[in-house]
Amino acid sequence: FIIFLNLLKHMISQTKKKIYLIGTNAQDISDCTLIALQKINDSNLLILSRKFSKDFIKSINLKDKEILYEEDLSKINGESLWRIIFELLDEHRLISHLIDGDPFLDSFGEDELFFFNNMKIDCEVVPGIIKAVNCLNKNSKLLTDRNKNSSVTFMKPFDKNKFKKIINNIYFEKLLIFLGRKDEYKQMKLVLYQSKQKDKFNLHLPIKNRLRKVNLNFKHKNPENLTFPTYIIIERYE
């Protein structure tokens, strides 16, 4: 009976623990939604990357909160990191894992959510701004401005055959593509280079949080120094 009570007590304590997976803009905390700010405020422990700006970290570094960095916890942002976060629940009741961008679109939010749910831990995802959209905003090409962007197409995950069909047969103004790996970027660029309509495309890459237009040149190996996963934007014009 005592063993049963201890087990029940443990199960109850675990159900009170929670992880928030929060989408943010690592360079500007003002892009956070009100609900994201509230979840951050409620949390005992914040986990984020060292890529977050000093101003962002200073804004959330409240006295009653502990901040840990992904790079110090794990060399790989994946299951090895999530297991460490899970172990940290022994000492913290509410943990916020801050993502640069949207957890589902810019990171591995779906896999992370599944991992914690499988560990019987309540995990709530708070959507954030998509990195590519943020780059468009900074370039004053707002997705909501219908005079500039009447059509935006998203592709995730990247599919070479589907991409080839869109490029060659379907009209679009802007195509936002999620690329998880460097080889997907090479496949995408090759399809563009081989397209008969390549002179009608502009390729924009998010470099240092700004969109940069690049040409379809294969003489250099990844001259853009992209980090993955990332979004690229293809703009079509007549």
Side-chain angles (χ1 to χ4, degrees):
F1 180 74
I2 295 177
I3 295 177
F4 173 76
L5 287 179
N6 289 335
L7 179 61
L8 181 61
K9 183 178 180 181
H10 175 73
M11 292 175 62
I12 293 174
S13 65
Q14 285 297 97
T15 57
K16 292 181 180 180
K17 296 180 182 292
K18 191 167 186 175
I19 292 176
Y20 297 116
L21 187 55
I22 301 176
T24 67
N25 173 4
Q27 304 305 313
D28 190 353
I29 195 172
S30 65
D31 278 337
C32 284
T33 62
L34 292 177
I35 190 171
L37 293 173
Q38 182 61 53
K39 301 302 184 186
I40 291 173
N41 184 61
D42 292 342
S43 299
N44 313 118
L45 171 65
L46 306 177
I47 297 174
L48 63 158
S49 170
R50 290 191 177 276
K51 296 178 181 179
F52 278 66
S53 71
K54 293 181 180 179
D55 289 338
F56 189 108
I57 296 172
K58 184 178 179 180
S59 299
I60 62 174
N61 191 13
L62 305 178
K63 294 181 179 180
D64 61 336
K65 298 189 188 305
E66 181 180 356
I67 294 180
L68 296 178
Y69 295 100
E70 295 175 344
E71 294 84 352
D72 297 336
L73 298 176
S74 173
K75 294 182 179 180
I76 301 176
N77 186 353
E79 187 170 330
S80 60
L81 173 63
W82 307 336
R83 289 190 178 278
I84 294 174
I85 295 176
F86 173 76
E87 293 173 358
L88 289 170
L89 284 170
D90 289 339
E91 300 178 3
H92 301 85
R93 188 173 65 85
L94 296 176
I95 297 178
S96 280
H97 183 195
L98 277 56
I99 304 297
D100 181 17
D102 185 272
F104 285 140
L105 296 176
D106 295 314
S107 186
F108 308 101
E110 187 173 356
D111 294 334
E112 188 169 354
L113 176 64
F114 176 80
F115 172 83
F116 287 119
N117 286 341
N118 194 46
M119 301 294 283
K120 308 302 181 184
I121 297 298
D122 187 12
C123 180
E124 179 181 341
V125 178
V126 180
I129 187 170
I130 302 171
K131 286 184 183 179
V133 174
N134 188 50
C135 287
L136 281 172
N137 290 345
K138 290 196 172 185
N139 282 28
S140 299
K141 297 180 179 178
L142 302 177
L143 290 176
T144 53
D145 186 343
R146 292 301 179 181
N147 292 322
K148 295 181 179 179
N149 302 278
S150 60
S151 174
V152 179
T153 303
F154 289 81
M155 177 184 288
K156 183 188 179 184
F158 175 75
D159 183 296
K160 182 179 178 180
N161 293 328
K162 183 178 179 181
F163 174 65
K164 186 181 297 184
K165 182 178 180 180
I166 291 175
I167 289 297
N168 294 324
N169 303 309
I170 300 176
Y171 176 79
F172 64 89
E173 283 196 8
K174 284 184 173 61
L175 176 62
L176 275 66
I177 305 175
F178 176 85
L179 299 172
R181 307 183 308 275
K182 186 175 180 179
D183 64 295
E184 292 179 340
Y185 170 70
K186 291 182 178 179
Q187 293 177 40
M188 177 277 303
K189 206 171 180 184
L190 182 60
V191 171
L192 279 179
Y193 184 75
Q194 294 175 340
S195 173
K196 295 179 181 179
Q197 303 184 61
K198 63 181 179 181
D199 58 334
K200 297 182 179 180
F201 301 129
N202 284 325
L203 177 61
H204 300 273
L205 305 177
I207 301 174
K208 295 183 179 180
N209 216 34
R210 296 284 295 180
L211 281 182
R212 310 292 182 187
K213 184 166 69 173
V214 300
N215 58 33
L216 304 179
N217 191 330
F218 284 84
K219 293 182 180 180
H220 305 286
K221 294 183 178 180
N222 194 25
E224 300 83 14
N225 295 320
L226 291 177
T227 56
F228 297 90
T230 189
Y231 263 98
I232 61 95
I233 300 172
I234 299 172
E235 187 176 27
R236 185 170 185 160
Y237 60 91
E238 296 297 336

